[in-house]
Amino acid sequence: MPHAFRPVLDITSLDAATYGGNPALKVPVLLDADGPLVGTENICQELVRRSQTRSMVVLRGDVADRVVANAEEMTLHVMSAEVSLILAQMAGDDRLAPPKVRRSLENGLGYLNDSVDRVLEALPADRTLSFLEVALFCVVTHLPFRQVLDVASYARLKAFCDLFGERESAQRTEYRFDASS
Ligand SMILES: N[C@@H](CCC(=O)N[C@@H](CS)C(=O)NCC(=O)O)C(=O)O
């Protein structure tokens, strides 16, 4: 479907208009004729609805197995802890974040490293894509990209990322900083 990507170049902006009208001052936001749709999962659900590939995609909560549910929660926790650390870093001092934030991020990654193989086995074998795998790949590769954490010691997660990173979609969407011109 035709679309355009509009980066937010100043993530410290206090103007909701900078974020497509998101009052939480966050990205991503999907803007279409119906107005803004905020939140990554909402946007994923909308894209899956439009693409009519629901049966091939595993969204959060689709799998009852607790190992998957815990990994979904832990992945989102690691993401949000990373955002807190980045915001503190941007404020000039990452010690501004309570020590618990970094510890819980490392604990979460350790948990995911230990469980990732069981998690992948518990996902439906005929899936094309899962929210969990995309989110996990994104956060594990984003941590070193933003120099928040060296993830080299999380060997199972690295193996997962190496494999998932072979997908054309992953290779075409590597992280980069957008510039205004
Ligand atoms: N629950 C939201 C979280 C969004 C989020 O934390 N986005 C980050 C991406 S970098 C952000 O906008 N950070 C800037 C901030 O929190 O000020 C979602 O899933 O979309």
Side-chain angles (χ1 to χ4, degrees), residues 11-12 19 22 24-28 38-41 43 76 79-80 83 86-87 142 146:
I11 203 77
T12 63
Y19 308 86
N22 184 355
L25 311 180
K26 281 177 176 287
V27 292
V38 301
T40 313
E41 282 194 82
I43 294 169
L76 294 181
M79 276 189 169
S80 98
V83 169
I86 291 172
L87 288 179
H142 198 254
R146 290 307 307 264

Side-chain angles (χ1 to χ4, degrees), residues 14-50:
L14 301 180
D15 182 359
T18 310
Y19 308 86
N22 184 355
L25 311 180
K26 281 177 176 287
V27 292
V29 178
L30 176 72
L31 294 172
D32 64 11
D34 294 330
L37 179 64
V38 301
T40 313
E41 282 194 82
N42 278 340
I43 294 169
C44 290
Q45 281 159 3
E46 177 65 16
L47 294 179
V48 170
R49 262 193 298 274
R50 290 190 194 185

